[in-house]
């Protein structure tokens, strides 16, 4: 038999749906989520649903997984301590943002500005500069990178983001910095802005890359634990995790770019509702997702 398993991890419950691809028969299960290690709740659910269906876990051919692990890490403020490396003169890129404050002048007084995921104390500058067309205006000063790494090491950062001016046009300097950081701060994950979000706007690119670093250790640890447990229980099953756009990606890719999973859980409901709408012939459909 060929079985496909869908699994969605929420803050309270872990929901599973098992489908027999040949007969169309479905089975459902709900187990309590395990916040300390969400993979435990997933495996408990797999054990239960396979028992209900009367099959072995090794008969599951594919697992599609939606998760709120990345979402909750940001909402609860439980992500990594992020160090940010920027071009000389752009240390306040996250603090300045787009300089937009709601409510006119009164907004400066009454609007509680959100704290950046990488603090100013953990933001360091390096000497380099790329032009808007990708030309090298100022060569990378490797000594300044080493000094920046010393600062971040003293600050005991748990993840590093590199977001340089115009790196969307040429990411060579960011790649050079990653090699130095990996040598100076071994074991610390490094996210490059031109790989996470290759767009021209400095604030948006830096913000997204920092968010990637913020949730990377948490998501990487979770997916690593889950993959080990799945391989032991299901064998050659294919594992995929749901992205924020409703698409799927491999566990390894998701661990490197977890910012793509920020709306993983909610996106699954929307994608599923669209499929139901197409199958049932409804052009207008209102869905409701409550956690």
């Amino acid at each position: 038999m060929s079985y496909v398993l869908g699994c969605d991890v929420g803050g309270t419950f872990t929901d599973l749906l098992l489908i027999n691809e040949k007969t169309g028969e479905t089975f459902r299960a709900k187990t309590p989520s395990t916040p300390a290690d969400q993979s435990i709740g997933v495996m408990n659910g797999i054990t239960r649903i396979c028992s209900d269906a009367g099959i072995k876990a090794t008969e599951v051919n594919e697992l599609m997984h939606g998760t709120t692990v990345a979402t909750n890490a940001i909402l609860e403020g439980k992500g990594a301590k992020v160090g940010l490396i920027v071009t000389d003169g752009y240390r306040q890129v996250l603090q300045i943002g787009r300089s937009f404050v709601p409510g006119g002048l009164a907004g400066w007084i009454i609007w509680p500005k959100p704290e950046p995921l990488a603090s100013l104390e953990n933001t360091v500058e390096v000497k380099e500069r790329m032009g808007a067309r990708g030309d090298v205006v100022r060569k990378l000063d490797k000594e300044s990178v080493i000094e920046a790494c010393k600062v971040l090491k003293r600050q005991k950062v748990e993840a590093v983001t590199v977001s340089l001016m115009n790196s969307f046009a040429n990411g060579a300097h960011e790649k050079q910095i990653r090699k130095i950081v990996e040598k100076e701060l071994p074991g610390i994950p490094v996210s490059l802005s031109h790989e996470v979000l290759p767009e021209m706007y400095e604030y948006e690119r830096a913000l997204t890359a920092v968010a990637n670093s913020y949730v990377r250790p948490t998501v990487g640890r979770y997916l690593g634990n889950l993959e080990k447990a799945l391989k032991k229980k299901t064998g050659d099953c294919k594992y995929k995790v749901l992205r924020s756009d409703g698409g799927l990606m491999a566990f390894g890719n998701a661990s490197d770019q977890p910012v793509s999973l920020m709306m993983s859980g909610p996106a699954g409901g929307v994608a599923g509702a669209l499929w139901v709408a197409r199958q049932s012939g409804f052009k207008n459909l209102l869905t409701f997702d409550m956690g």
Side-chain angles (χ1 to χ4, degrees):
M1 289 290 184
S2 177
Y3 290 89
V4 175
L5 179 62
C7 175
D8 178 72
V9 177
T12 307
F13 291 107
T14 295
D15 296 284
L16 300 98
L17 173 64
L18 181 68
I19 301 176
N20 184 324
E21 289 192 298
K22 291 186 177 180
T23 66
E25 187 178 13
T26 62
F27 300 89
R28 295 174 177 82
K30 181 186 287 285
T31 60
S33 294
T34 50
D37 184 353
Q38 298 282 21
S39 64
I40 296 174
V42 173
M43 300 313 299
N44 290 340
I46 292 177
T47 299
R48 176 178 296 183
I49 202 168
C50 288
S51 176
D52 292 345
I55 68 168
K56 296 179 180 179
T58 52
E59 294 181 66
V60 177
N61 301 98
E62 187 174 1
L63 170 70
M64 290 174 282
H65 178 40
T67 175
T68 56
V69 170
T71 315
N72 291 341
I74 287 187
L75 292 177
E76 297 171 6
K78 295 181 178 179
K81 186 176 184 179
V82 181
L84 175 60
I85 298 176
V86 298
T87 301
D88 189 26
Y90 287 84
R91 187 165 175 250
Q92 289 83 12
V93 61
L94 294 182
Q95 284 71 27
I96 295 174
R98 284 288 169 203
S99 298
F100 171 76
V101 177
L105 291 177
W108 291 103
I109 303 172
I110 63 175
W111 182 48
K113 191 174 182 179
E115 286 294 323
L117 297 178
S119 67
L120 190 60
E121 291 78 9
N122 298 329
T123 302
V124 290
E125 299 175 335
V126 295
K127 298 175 182 178
E128 70 81 42
R129 184 60 182 262
M130 284 289 180
R133 298 183 183 278
D135 52 308
V136 178
V137 177
R138 183 182 188 184
K139 290 184 178 180
L140 176 66
D141 183 337
K142 294 183 179 180
E143 288 300 320
S144 70
V145 179
I146 293 174
E147 288 302 314
C149 288
K150 290 179 180 178
V151 173
L152 297 181
K153 188 174 185 178
R154 288 197 297 269
Q155 292 295 93
K156 298 181 180 180
V157 299
E158 299 165 322
V160 172
T161 293
V162 184
S163 185
L164 306 179
M165 275 293 293
N166 297 318
S167 63
F168 72 94
N170 186 346
H173 284 177
E174 288 194 348
K175 291 179 180 178
Q176 290 177 43
I177 291 175
R178 175 165 56 191
K179 290 181 179 179
I180 298 173
V181 173
E182 289 175 344
K183 182 179 179 181
E184 298 294 324
L185 300 171
I188 299 295
V190 184
S191 298
L192 306 185
S193 71
H194 80 276
E195 292 180 350
V196 176
L197 188 71
E199 295 186 5
M200 64 181 289
Y201 297 108
E202 304 306 323
Y203 170 65
E204 286 80 358
R205 181 156 43 79
L207 183 68
T208 305
V210 166
N212 192 73
S213 290
Y214 187 77
V215 301
R216 190 170 176 181
T218 300
V219 174
R221 185 165 52 249
Y222 164 65
L223 290 179
N225 291 341
L226 180 57
E227 187 169 17
K228 288 180 182 178
L230 286 170
K231 284 183 178 180
K232 186 176 180 180
K233 193 174 186 68
T234 65
D236 296 329
C237 178
K238 297 178 181 178
Y239 320 121
K240 299 175 183 177
V241 63
L242 193 71
R243 298 195 311 247
S244 299
D245 61 1
L248 296 166
M249 65 193 307
F251 275 26
N253 293 337
S255 295
D256 291 337
Q257 295 204 9
V259 73
S260 301
L261 312 182
M262 210 61 72
M263 296 301 291
S264 172
V270 175
L274 286 171
W275 184 87
V276 170
R278 293 192 190 101
Q279 303 306 310
S280 56
F282 289 103
K283 293 184 178 180
N284 298 305
L285 195 70
L286 178 64
T287 67
F288 182 76
D289 183 359
M290 180 176 178

